[in-house]
Amino acid sequence: MDLENGIFKNRVKKEYWRTVLTLAYQSLGVVYGDLSISPLYVYKSTFAEDIEHSKTNEEIYGVLSFIFWTLTLVPLLKYVFIVLRADDNGEGGTFALYSLICRHARVNSLPNCQLADEELSSYKKHSTAPAPSAFGSSLKSTLERHRVLQKCLLVLALIGACMVIGDGVLTPAISVFSAVSGLELAMSKEHHKYVEVPVACIILIALFALQHYGTHRVGFLFAPVVVTWLLCISSIGVYNIFRWNPRVYQALSPYYMYKFLKKTQRGGWMSLGGILLCITGSEAMFADLGHFSQLSIQIAFTSFVYPSLILAYMGQAAYLSEHHDIDNGYRIGFYVSVPDNLRWPVLVIAILAAVVGSQAIITGTFSIIKQCSSLGCFPRVKIVHTSSKVHGQIYIPEINWILMMLCLAVTIGFRDTKRLGNASGLAVITVMLVTTCLMSLVIVLCWHQSVFLALGFVFFFGTIEALYFSASLIKFLEGAWVPIALSLIFMLIMYVWHYGSLKKYEFDVQNKVSVDWLLSLGPSLGIVRVRGIGLIHTELVSGIPAIFSHFVTNLPAFHQVLIFLCIKSVPIPHVKHEERFLMGHIGPREYRLYRCIVRYGYRDVQKDDSEFEKDLVCTLAEFIRTGKIGSPNIGEDSEKEDEKMAVVGTPSTHLEGIRMHEDEVNNPPSASTSEPRENESPVMQPRKRVRFVIPDSPGIDNGAREELQELREAREAGVAYIMGHSYVRAKQGSSLVKKLVINYGYDFLRRNSRGPTCALGVPHASTLEVGMAYQI
């Protein structure tokens, strides 16, 4: 038996390591595409203007020393060994850190949060962390008390998100432009500049035009391309080291950084903006953590990516140290160090690697915008999931074409690596500074470590990044203004949307009607119940929305089964299927009034087709069958203790429960709201009759059976979506700024954003919009 147990353990261990190594290989194409192509433009950007390449080699040795220690301290030490540990249930990125801080300090930008959300299994990360320190407890209470600090925290996270979006514009431009710059070696200096920009623009247009096909269709090529590229540049680096200067390794000493700054002084400090580009893409190791594992990313970087990049930079430095007659502004780039007979093959591989690196940052931009939208900080946009297996592979059409136009604009406008590098460097270092600041809060609030450890982390890495940040910011007029301008535009959009949504929700809370008012409606008041299910979409987690009272006042009838549906996001990456739905009765069971709260994490896929409707009805039937009684619906100001909410889960989690089956009936379709939710015209479609398959369960009482029967009849009659169509205006006496933000900014974004997710696939015949004016 011991022998069998040992064999089994060995087999499990082998399978584990096989999975880890497979993920490490796959991560090369997704995570390291951007970081691996930085040798294309680092030296060219560094020596573009601020420093000269002299025969003493002090400049090239100093730059190599800066590159080596920057790669060692920031990507290797900071990200690989520290920041990767700050995952949010396996997810990474700026919003993962913000989400962790919000949950541990009970700070939330979402207005409709509930105490029930804190009972989600993944709401708090299970760890064996020590008890919070006195300073940590004090910091936590201070954050919870002061709204100004909460807004500052949100703004800090949004700055990081906006800079990621700016990086999504600049990285494809500088990567592709630098890759095609190899054409300069094949033609005269006068002609190549007229070819590079059109070729780069054609590649960029093709790159963005292919986004809607999804990464998964060509993703199998990503890792081999990056592996080939890293092997190529490291092999060329080793060749150049032994061919031109085997003693170049001495430049890895930090002493050469001191000599470099002492000789170049202000010019050397300004050139740090070019050296900074060697760590472009380091943030992707943390941002893409959800697609891989911490160990796989660490293995890939330490064993392959890091040594390959170091060899590549050492090889370029070795070549340049023996060639001092190179025109600094023309041929000090990557391709001049490539042997003549390899330049064309390397050019092709470089262009492919640049496309892969650009693809990674574009997908990351889509992901960060989806997270912002889920957390109420960005207008609702159309999100297309290009893969049924990988949840992170998404496509946002509007953002894709905006990115393409901006990317083409900066490529045509700048037309050189120097200014593109200045712009890209500022965006990269700002994201890293935001990560450093948020990490210091995570160390104190989430890891419960000493404040001195957090201060040491901020001081050590913040000093390094602040030095690079100052060198990038000083070149504001030479391209660095672009990411600042883009960030201000996106920050304005995010803040206006968040502010308007918050004020609109506060109006809903203040103007909601009581449950008693709804229960008092009856035939004596001229109110009748009609056949079918009425889904009233609301953002409220308790109470009756004002749009419903407005609807009943003008049209005194509502459906025999009424469901108040709230689709909300919670500040965790994923909500388990068994915890997705919260169900409850409103008032006595015979009134057939229900509240349903559907919870999604900021990384979850939200269904927007007929499957959602089936899941909703089937889950409600399971709630009726089991007769669950949950805890009180504790919202922002719960008004009734008898409104209980129970966790039911999706139909996939109760396989032993009720299943829904639709039979096609050859009767001609009626004009009711029961038309099938399909893209084709419903004129010739057969009618679908719904029946519940109820398992044998002697525990179902007669009341529940009658309730299920009525739900079945209502579902067969059809489902109507009652949506609010709000007309938002600032109330009388508001300031001029508020009127501009609400009347013009928020109203424009609201009219041009996507509608609620639950009604996206509903035909117009099943939708009822209720217009209402909001004075906020």
Side-chain angles (χ1 to χ4, degrees), residues 304-332:
F304 188 54
V305 178
Y306 176 75
S308 297
L309 291 175
I310 297 299
L311 289 173
Y313 287 116
M314 288 177 64
Q316 289 186 56
Y319 180 89
L320 294 173
S321 67
E322 297 297 321
H323 296 78
H324 305 98
D325 56 346
I326 300 175
D327 183 356
N328 288 341
Y330 177 41
R331 300 184 63 186
I332 202 170

Side-chain angles (χ1 to χ4, degrees), residues 35 62-79 252 257 272 274-280 282 301 306 310 429 432 461 464-465 467-468:
L35 184 63
V63 169
L64 176 59
S65 184
F66 265 103
I67 291 173
F68 172 76
W69 287 106
T70 303
L71 277 170
T72 302
L73 294 177
V74 179
L76 184 63
L77 181 58
K78 176 186 171 182
Y79 280 97
L252 302 183
M257 290 193 290
L272 294 179
I275 298 173
L276 162 67
L277 297 177
C278 71
I279 53 175
T280 300
S282 300
F301 184 79
Y306 176 75
I310 297 299
I429 200 62
M432 292 183 176
F461 293 108
I464 298 171
E465 291 161 359
L467 179 65
Y468 283 116

